[in-house]
Amino acid sequence: MYQTVGSFLRRLSRSVRRSRLHPAASVAVKLHTANLQNAQFSKSQLPDYQALECWFKRRLETVYHRYSDIPDNTVVLGCDHVYIEDGGVIYRATRGLEELEPEEVLCADCVGEGNGSIQRVRISPNERVMAATVKTPHRDEAKCIVVRLDGHSVARQPVVILDQVFSFEWAADNLLLYSKQEGLKCHSVHRLDFNDSNIHSTLVYEEHDPEFFVEVGRSRDGRLLTLNCTSKSCSEVWVSDTATPHLPPALVQRRQPGLLYHVEHSADHVYILANTGPGQEYQLLRAPLSTTCLENWVPLFTPSPGSIIKDMELLQEHCVFTIRHPSGHLGLCTVSLKDPSSESFLKLPPWACSVEMQRNYILDRQTFQFLLSSPVCPPFPCVFSPATKQLVTDARPCIDYNTTRLEASSKDGTLVPLTLLHKPALAELKEMPLLVHVYGAYGLEINMSFSSEKRLLLDHGWALAYCHVRGGGERGLGWHRAGCLEAKQRGVEDLVACIQRLFHVGVSQPNLTALTARSAGAVLVGALCNQQPHLVRAVTLQAPFLDVLGTMQDPSHPLTIQEIGEWGDPLTNTHHRENIASYCPSHNITPQKYPSMLITAYSEDSRVPIAGVQTYVERLKAAIQNQSRQSLSESGAVTRIVLDLQPGGDHFGPEDFDLSLAESARQLAFLQMELGLDNPPSQQRCK
């Protein structure tokens, strides 16, 4: 299969004109620096900083080029064709005839707004129609383009273009279920019916609770479409049978406080992954499709104590779970659907940090296909057969670095996992620069998939540490809930313990340590900088959530009600307000020596209001001014506070590759300068 895809990719690279990368391209960005004594870039320093940024951008281009042909999920395998997205265009080739000229089937530019990027692709059951969402940089909502795949016309005209679409799945070749997004909210599901003469849309489901978000999914066997209604604390699933797609969806189990569940299907049974196990962790249950309520859920598999289900793939006769052990190692656990007591376990390589499923439209339900990677090891494809219990790969990666897993004892005695990636031996890291990563929110794991930027740092002598603090999902749902609401401060304590643990085992030292986070992860970083600023020398934050209290007291903000389950309700609950105020980065700044910071924010970001970021920077500037007046004779490293304010509203960074590359290069240059590392050779000033 992967040889087929590789052949198509090589053919595509010869036939498609790719845009060139421009190392010195100008970036539409405004840099704001704190106008403080000893806290700003001087005119003599700025050219060196720009030269360093250009050097890193050229190096990043080289790394990206080196890994340009790695497998990813932009490839979609249909029954008869292979589809791949490149530069906002989807091409296809006939399977078995990949050396023929690839055919263009869909172009993002047809929405008429320019600079669109393709987000999600779905092919109808008989591969006659394709739907894809296209998002432009200045909008949260995407447009959905539907094109026919039958025939051989190169210039395919859309059958229909739908506005404000978030998720969608095919019920039949002429029936599409989709959820409609308004701003950051998604509360309704519609069914699009179309044929040669008529197109119309019908409301299928409407959610009335503002805390819930609705998304359309599809079972692995294609039998059921799922309407997943989820809040921070509970969920509810409705199912639509593709055998009778015009009938109203049926409820699986009514929402209950604290109950979270997900639904799959096989052989007239629903398989439910629900947090009904010990400690409210996930376990697998089964019920007949005809009677799906909670009373009929029969447990099939519960992981061993301390082990956590991270993901599940339901095959024809087996269920394959991605399991994380307490040590942090990943493995695959296989359970027979005919005999659930029959289990087998396959330990994945110790360097593996990320397992990403590869789903396609071929009804191969005998094998589990996935990508295995780490932040510094590019993904490579694997195929696991439960029948033979064998893991098959085309090639094994060359692992030229060390993966060290540690635990740090937090303030309350809880052991917090740490993953350390490094090239030299552990005993040789004392003088090495260290970049610490953290997230710790929403029950989500910190991103540990491959990153060209992280690979570049590793190759240039850095050590990389990933702190799996409470509030995230590394150790399961209970680990997340231990960090919610009244216990957010524990995530900060976990982060402090992790950094101190690294120093204790001889990894780097404070003046060579940097800390990075994005979005909600900035809450922990900002709180640490208020409480223990001496632990790190430099900080980079992207789209950071820094004014938790101010934002959660603003009911006009689109996410305030949806986020109550994560942060609390300071408007109606005094205890919640006091708790948020105790750790909110923007409300606990004091006059003291702070680490240098590069804060990247986006002027139209609707998830993190720019006003909250600016408030934080202003308060930080005032505190630094106050501290500098009190200790004019103090010597030491200069503190720089830089607000990198970029245009656009994409919370996840620029869609444009050149702008994204420049942003990453700017952050690496900032870290290089602030940690006082030797500048790389052959720097050239940007033109």
Side-chain angles (χ1 to χ4, degrees), residues 562-581:
Q562 291 184 28
E563 301 286 75
I564 286 174
E566 181 72 20
W567 307 103
D569 184 4
L571 283 176
T572 63
N573 189 311
T574 302
H575 184 64
H576 285 183
R577 187 186 189 283
E578 292 174 350
N579 179 63
I580 296 172

Side-chain angles (χ1 to χ4, degrees), residues 488 520 522-523 545-554 567-568 570 580-581 583-587 612:
K488 282 292 182 185
V523 174
F545 190 32
L546 293 163
D547 188 10
V548 184
L549 184 59
T551 303
M552 293 305 296
Q553 291 184 124
D554 180 5
W567 307 103
I580 296 172
Y583 65 78
C584 177
S586 189
H587 289 76

Side-chain angles (χ1 to χ4, degrees), residues 231-353:
S231 74
K232 292 294 184 295
S233 60
C234 69
S235 61
E236 180 178 272
V237 179
W238 297 72
V239 295
S240 177
D241 195 328
T242 56
T244 54
H246 285 95
L247 293 182
L251 176 64
V252 173
Q253 165 60 41
R254 191 170 302 280
R255 63 191 65 171
Q256 294 183 5
L259 176 63
L260 291 164
Y261 71 96
H262 313 272
V263 173
E264 261 291 354
H265 175 271
S266 181
D268 290 325
H269 282 81
V270 290
Y271 289 82
I272 303 123
L273 190 64
N275 66 322
T276 52
Q280 289 191 299
E281 296 300 346
Y282 283 108
Q283 63 176 171
L284 180 68
L285 307 103
R286 179 169 62 189
L289 181 58
S290 57
T291 53
T292 61
C293 57
L294 182 62
E295 290 77 11
N296 297 307
W297 293 8
V298 178
L300 297 184
F301 170 73
T302 301
S304 58
S307 297
I308 301 297
I309 296 175
K310 305 312 302 175
D311 214 335
M312 177 184 86
E313 183 78 338
L314 191 66
L315 304 177
Q316 188 166 346
E317 298 179 352
H318 299 84
C319 191
V320 181
F321 298 94
T322 303
I323 300 288
R324 184 182 297 278
H325 283 274
S327 64
H329 289 91
L330 295 174
L332 301 180
C333 183
T334 304
V335 176
S336 169
L337 300 183
K338 294 181 179 180
D339 180 14
S341 63
S342 174
E343 300 176 15
S344 63
F345 185 79
L346 175 68
K347 188 175 181 180
L348 293 174
W351 56 265
C353 298

Side-chain angles (χ1 to χ4, degrees), residues 489 492 522-532 582-585 616:
Q489 185 60 43
V492 184
V523 174
L524 302 183
V525 175
L528 177 140
C529 291
N530 289 332
Q531 299 173 22
Q532 305 274 357
S582 70
Y583 65 78
C584 177
Y616 174 81

Side-chain angles (χ1 to χ4, degrees), residues 2 49 56 110 170 198 220 228 255 275 405 437 442 466 474 511 525 571 576 600 648 674:
Y2 296 104
Y49 177 81
F56 272 112
C110 70
W170 291 101
N198 185 30
R220 178 70 164 85
N228 306 299
R255 63 191 65 171
N275 66 322
R405 301 185 189 275
H437 305 72
Y442 300 111
Y466 291 79
E474 283 87 348
N511 67 315
V525 175
L571 283 176
H576 285 183
T600 304
E674 295 310 308

Side-chain angles (χ1 to χ4, degrees), residues 19-86:
S19 59
R20 291 186 59 194
L21 300 177
H22 301 284
S26 61
V27 179
V29 60
K30 189 174 183 180
L31 291 178
H32 300 273
T33 57
N35 186 21
L36 311 170
Q37 182 180 3
N38 295 330
Q40 61 181 352
F41 288 115
S42 70
K43 291 183 179 179
S44 61
Q45 290 171 323
L46 194 56
D48 292 335
Y49 177 81
Q50 291 176 326
L52 195 56
E53 178 182 331
C54 287
W55 185 89
F56 272 112
K57 190 173 182 184
R58 288 192 297 272
R59 293 296 301 146
L60 281 173
E61 288 172 354
T62 301
V63 177
Y64 271 103
H65 180 73
R66 184 194 314 165
Y67 298 112
S68 61
D69 61 347
I70 60 175
D72 59 27
N73 277 335
T74 61
V75 175
V76 177
L77 299 177
C79 296
D80 301 316
H81 299 86
V82 180
Y83 299 81
I84 187 168
E85 185 271 336
D86 183 83

Side-chain angles (χ1 to χ4, degrees), residues 604-656:
E604 300 172 56
D605 188 343
S606 54
R607 289 175 174 83
V608 176
I610 191 62
V613 179
Q614 292 173 325
T615 297
Y616 174 81
V617 171
E618 290 167 1
R619 290 175 177 173
L620 192 61
K621 287 164 57 177
I624 295 175
Q625 277 184 326
N626 194 351
Q627 188 270 345
S628 63
R629 284 194 296 266
Q630 295 175 10
S631 54
L632 291 176
S633 61
E634 181 181 341
S635 60
V638 174
T639 298
R640 299 180 177 89
I641 308 298
V642 180
L643 174 56
D644 180 2
L645 182 57
Q646 299 197 27
D650 196 330
H651 178 72
F652 303 99
E655 293 283 354
D656 180 85

